[in-house]
Amino acid sequence: MTQPAAFTAEVFQNQYLPAGGQIVDAVVTVTASGSGLRASGDAPSAAEVIMVDCSGSMADPSTKMSEAKKACAVAIDTLRDGVAFAVIAGRHDARMVYPPAIDLAAANPLTRQAAKDAVTRLTASGGTAIGTWLSMANELFGRSPAEVKHAIMLTDGRNQHETAEQLAATLAACEGRFICDSRGVGADWVANELRQVASTLLGSADGLPDPAALPEEFQSMTRNAMGKAVADAALRVWTPAGSVVRFVKQVFPQVEDLTGRRVEVSARIGEYPTGAWGAESRDYHLSVQVPAGGVGEELLAARVSLVAGGAPMAQSLVLATWTDDTALSTKINQRVAHYTGQAELASVIQEGLAARDAGDVPTATAKLGRAVQLAEESGHSDTAKLLGKVVDVIDAPTGTVRLKPKVAGVDAELANVRSVKTIRVKKSEEAS
Amino acid sequence: MRCPHCDTQVQDTDRYCEACGYDLVAGGEPVEAAPDERPGRWLSSARAAQACEGCGGTEFGEEGYCDGCGRRRGTGREHSELDLEVIAAASDIGHRHRHNEDAVGIGLLPGIAVGVVCDGVSSSDRPDTASYAAVDAAVPALLDALTDEPSDAQRALGLAAGAAQAAAALAAGTAPGPNPPSSTFVAAVVTLDSVTVGWVGDSRAYWLPDPLPPDAPTAAARKPGAGTVGLAPECLTTDDNVAGRLAAAAGTKATAEHPDGPSGALVRWLGADAGDTAPHLLTVRPTGPGRVLVCSDGLFRYRPDPADLAAATPAGTPLEVARALVELALAAGGEDNISVAVLPFPCPDLRSPQS
């Protein structure tokens, strides 16, 4: 017998509050593991839709198109037998590449070959309207009973043949229907658009300046999707009477504010969507305001569980104990502090880059300086490196920087699209 | 906001009205009109473990936190504090026993306060099932009987002891062993002008008069007469054990020491194997204000003499007094479970505007 997916939920917090204290912060690490997570016999049914940008700019340079074709072929080869799949060519509209009809095909050696053949015939011409691609993907997924529905969206440029409102409306229609990873290739994609798609559809966003990286990236995304063992899980949060959930954020592997996506289950319980789970580990930062208790009182400030198919898979408790011992109450849990910093890092990068685009040099310098400081403090070297292409760092520990006069557009977009990626506290650095 | 039923000021976050118990969340009919609702208010240590101290909720997650307000479930049987403000009680497991086999309950009607203590007999099986069932049966039975006939406390105590005996006997289940669950029983009814006690076994009720104010004209102003208690602390009950019987036969009232030896053996108790379970009854009319303590031997073994107990009982709110007495017994060794209910005399009349 195969082992079912096993989830664990671990809480990191300082449960001690000073007299009158009301804010309880905790980081909950949810980890999915177990042999059942990888056993194909146990895997949930899956559907995969690949949207590949075929706009005119994909021919410039031509490697974008050729690497995209290779990447599609690799992704198709990574599909398990029986997975329902389709490939869509995206321009100012969406066209089926494979299968020819507006439908999904079951993966087998014949359909894989036919799909790869169809992909090789793709040509670059026309514009970009991502919303139309997503709409078609949504329609295709609507025809499938599959449990895990995953899409890959590749674009090389700005979403210029539809309005931002149109894209937002399409995303709203797709939300909760499928997961989508968004990728930008080359130098002209827009980080905010990629993040918007990935964030709404619970996927990841990234940019690949070098088209040669596409095949490996597509394989990795497809393999990930094939490894999903639990199709649709939600973070269920119970909080006591009189309390307010200040926020619920995923903070690892990337920052995703889930606060506004609460679905009320009952007066005390809300659920926040987390999408599908493979063998992976994610961290959530929960902040609850509770009614102040008396010294010595103990309160259950939150009960956090991961729920799939209506059944709780793992549960943990967030506690509050009021004390007059300031040595206890003033301690800040290191993980909470770390992720508070990582979340701030993501927002100051985004705000700093936006200010820079708007020509607001003082704000951009202050925000990006703070970002450099936070990246340095937390040891986030990838982000520090990206920031180093946007600003000249004079003194990292104090966040003293100067905006670079000339920045390659793609460097700023990369810093933006990866701003939400976080790192974990190194175990060795963590105090008990 | 104000309670829609009794117009008392209540907090927005309250689940129930502190004064009348009206369900502020569910609302609906006033309590009295509800068919199953008993008159008055009451609390019991047997119930304490079942209701959240924070919000009164009764649903708890398996980790022991209230499903409503998140507070940790009361330690309940190990330590409980019952507070109806004008009367209060406390119970504690003590230092030596593995279970708290004492149960205590208090209840209030307009102008009438009741307190009940049942001490599970350690030599019987599952004694706590008898004592808890007895208290939970006796307090509502007392309140019911006193609602019907407020002036007949002895009748009420008789009915309550009967209810307690029935409940204690039922605790034995369908196949009582040789030592079915057994318990003592002591209850006090304090009104505006009298104190009535009823008991089976060796738990006690004490009368502790308040010290005279320094400007009182003379002690003689509160002259005791027949059927009264006056200025001196007294034990109102006579232990239902061999020593108590002998003392009673000799006409000496206070058998101060509670003997642990053979002469301390119980001769009467409540339970499936109990014979005579009619309570001893005594009504007194205090000549001045004071307090009635209803307690188990876990407390009075350390201060058996009424004067010593009075000296050791501090001033304060009933809850403070109950707590202090439990602390005293714990500090003295806490050999047994400790339970005490504190009922001021005269019973504060909640209907009168002065109180």
Side-chain angles (χ1 to χ4, degrees):
Chain A
M1 274 195 49
T2 47
Q3 292 252 315
F7 282 85
T8 58
E10 203 180 347
V11 167
F12 300 89
Q13 66 160 149
N14 176 13
Q15 72 179 80
Y16 294 101
L17 298 181
Q22 292 196 287
I23 307 297
V24 184
D25 279 287
V27 168
V28 182
T29 296
V30 181
T31 304
S33 58
S35 60
L37 281 169
R38 289 194 178 272
S40 60
D42 228 13
S45 56
E48 182 75 40
V49 172
I50 300 165
M51 291 163 267
V52 53
D53 190 339
C54 293
S55 63
S57 56
M58 284 293 282
D60 179 22
S62 63
T63 48
K64 284 200 280 192
M65 197 71 231
S66 59
E67 292 297 329
K69 288 179 181 178
K70 276 189 219 163
C72 282
V74 171
I76 290 164
D77 280 334
T78 309
L79 298 171
R80 277 197 312 271
D81 272 348
V83 169
F85 78 104
V87 181
I88 295 171
R91 296 185 180 88
H92 58 278
D93 62 0
R95 300 262 175 89
M96 292 300 296
V97 175
Y98 187 86
I102 298 181
D103 207 345
L104 297 161
N108 62 43
L110 285 176
T111 55
R112 280 196 201 96
Q113 192 55 54
K116 286 188 280 185
D117 290 347
V119 165
T120 57
R121 292 191 293 271
L122 287 175
T123 53
S125 67
T128 304
I130 292 168
T132 63
W133 319 349
L134 293 167
S135 276
M136 181 171 269
N138 193 23
E139 188 183 342
L140 293 174
F141 282 124
R143 292 161 187 263
S144 168
E147 294 162 85
V148 175
K149 295 176 177 177
H150 179 259
I152 294 172
M153 193 277 288
L154 177 70
T155 183
D156 81 326
R158 184 175 292 275
N159 188 41
Q160 51 195 350
H161 293 99
E162 66 179 353
T163 63
E165 290 74 23
Q166 280 172 310
L167 177 58
T170 303
L171 283 171
C174 296
E175 185 177 348
R177 309 279 300 272
F178 61 95
I179 298 163
C180 185
D181 291 326
S182 62
R183 295 293 181 269
V185 64
D188 303 315
W189 43 272
V190 178
N192 285 340
E193 288 171 0
L194 296 184
R195 282 202 294 105
Q196 185 187 4
V197 171
S199 169
T200 311
L201 303 181
L202 299 171
S204 62
D206 203 356
L208 300 100
D210 180 2
L214 278 175
E216 195 185 328
E217 186 75 5
F218 269 51
Q219 182 177 40
S220 150
M221 285 188 283
T222 313
R223 196 178 276 158
N224 238 332
M226 296 298 105
K228 296 299 183 191
V230 173
D232 193 13
L235 199 68
R236 177 180 286 184
V237 177
W238 173 97
T239 46
S243 66
V244 178
V245 175
R246 297 177 67 230
F247 60 80
V248 175
K249 288 176 189 168
Q250 181 184 291
V251 285
F252 181 85
Q254 73 242 8
V255 178
E256 190 63 67
D257 193 340
L258 301 172
T259 315
R261 301 171 81 159
R262 180 184 175 99
V263 177
E264 297 289 339
V265 175
S266 71
R268 308 254 169 283
I269 299 172
E271 287 186 355
Y272 301 85
T274 67
W277 286 70
E280 62 186 298
S281 183
R282 305 182 197 172
D283 291 344
Y284 297 90
H285 183 172
L286 168 70
S287 185
V288 187
Q289 179 181 340
V290 297
V295 167
E297 232 176 82
E298 182 176 323
L299 189 78
L300 179 61
R303 181 186 284 125
V304 182
S305 50
L306 197 77
V307 181
M313 318 284 284
Q315 176 171 293
S316 57
L317 306 180
V318 178
L319 302 175
T321 303
W322 284 270
T323 177
D324 46 19
D325 182 346
T326 50
L328 289 175
S329 61
T330 54
K331 221 180 259 177
I332 297 172
N333 178 275
Q334 198 178 348
R335 288 199 194 206
V336 171
H338 171 76
Y339 283 126
T340 304
Q342 295 286 294
E344 187 192 348
L345 177 56
S347 36
V348 289
I349 292 174
Q350 291 162 26
E351 291 159 10
L353 291 172
R356 181 183 154 280
D357 288 348
D360 180 353
V361 174
T363 304
T365 307
K367 298 277 185 187
L368 294 172
R370 173 68 178 148
V372 165
Q373 186 182 27
L374 286 164
E376 162 90 8
E377 276 172 12
S378 63
H380 202 329
S381 52
D382 288 351
T383 292
K385 215 174 290 170
L386 289 169
L387 288 168
K389 294 186 174 171
V390 184
V391 294
D392 287 317
V393 178
I394 296 159
D395 183 44
T398 57
T400 312
V401 302
R402 196 164 30 222
L403 297 188
K404 275 188 192 292
K406 282 209 139 219
V407 174
V410 72
D411 285 334
E413 294 307 305
L414 269 179
N416 180 349
V417 80
R418 292 182 184 164
S419 62
V420 293
K421 289 192 198 303
T422 55
I423 57 165
R424 278 191 158 148
V425 183
K426 288 198 196 88
K427 287 264 183 206
S428 58
E429 287 174 8
E430 199 162 25
S432 70
Chain B
M1 63 186 258
R2 289 184 171 277
C3 171
H5 178 230
C6 71
D7 206 38
T8 301
Q9 188 74 37
V10 291
Q11 299 292 317
D12 288 354
T13 50
D14 285 353
R15 169 83 204 268
Y16 298 100
C17 171
E18 289 275 293
C20 73
Y22 181 82
D23 189 329
L24 299 165
V25 176
E29 292 296 304
V31 241
E32 277 87 343
D36 288 338
E37 210 59 56
R38 295 179 189 281
R41 296 188 287 144
W42 65 285
L43 298 171
S44 121
S45 63
R47 293 272 164 113
Q50 280 136 46
C52 173
E53 289 160 10
C55 70
T58 52
E59 302 284 321
F60 292 86
E62 57 183 21
E63 314 89 359
Y65 294 94
C66 173
D67 276 348
C69 74
R71 281 204 179 64
R72 186 186 268 287
R73 183 181 209 149
T75 43
R77 296 188 168 199
E78 294 200 351
H79 181 91
S80 358
E81 294 181 354
L82 315 177
D83 188 12
L84 291 174
E85 293 185 17
V86 296
I87 58 174
S91 179
D92 195 279
I93 189 169
H95 294 315
R96 301 294 177 84
H97 283 223
R98 294 187 56 196
H99 302 286
N100 189 355
E101 290 154 2
D102 279 5
V104 57
I106 53 176
L108 269 185
L109 287 171
I112 305 176
V114 305
V116 180
V117 167
C118 289
D119 178 353
V121 179
S122 299
S123 57
S124 69
D125 300 333
R126 296 177 288 111
D128 53 329
T129 60
S131 57
Y132 278 76
V135 161
D136 266 5
V139 181
L142 267 176
L143 296 180
D144 276 350
L146 290 164
T147 302
D148 292 344
E149 288 188 44
S151 59
D152 197 343
Q154 294 211 351
R155 167 186 171 271
L157 282 166
L159 290 170
Q165 160 60 15
L170 280 174
T174 50
N179 296 302
S182 306
S183 173
T184 70
F185 170 85
V186 60
V189 176
V190 177
T191 67
L192 302 173
D193 60 358
S194 69
V195 173
T196 304
V197 293
W199 71 98
V200 178
D202 63 354
S203 296
R204 291 183 180 176
Y206 285 86
W207 163 249
L208 307 182
D210 289 346
L212 278 180
D215 59 341
T218 63
R222 306 203 311 180
K223 193 179 291 173
T228 66
V229 285
L231 299 171
E234 279 188 39
C235 180
L236 301 174
T237 53
T238 307
D239 295 347
D240 263 330
N241 55 26
V242 176
R245 283 290 169 87
L246 291 172
T252 55
K253 180 135 175 58
T255 56
E257 299 298 329
H258 183 259
D260 275 329
S263 60
L266 270 184
V267 294
R268 297 174 79 235
W269 60 88
L270 302 185
D273 62 346
D276 170 20
T277 59
H280 303 289
L281 294 166
L282 175 72
T283 299
V284 293
R285 294 178 188 283
T287 56
R291 292 173 290 187
V292 175
L293 299 188
V294 184
C295 56
S296 63
D297 60 347
L299 171 64
F300 69 72
R301 63 189 298 140
Y302 299 113
R303 292 291 187 281
D305 182 77
D308 293 344
L309 183 59
T313 304
T317 67
L319 182 62
E320 288 164 358
V321 173
R323 252 184 217 155
L325 290 170
V326 165
E327 287 299 322
L328 176 145
L330 287 171
E335 297 259 343
D336 201 348
N337 307 143
I338 307 142
S339 293
V340 58
V342 180
L343 314 174
F345 173 87
C347 176
D349 187 356
L350 298 175
R351 294 166 303 186
S352 64
Q354 301 94 302
S355 62

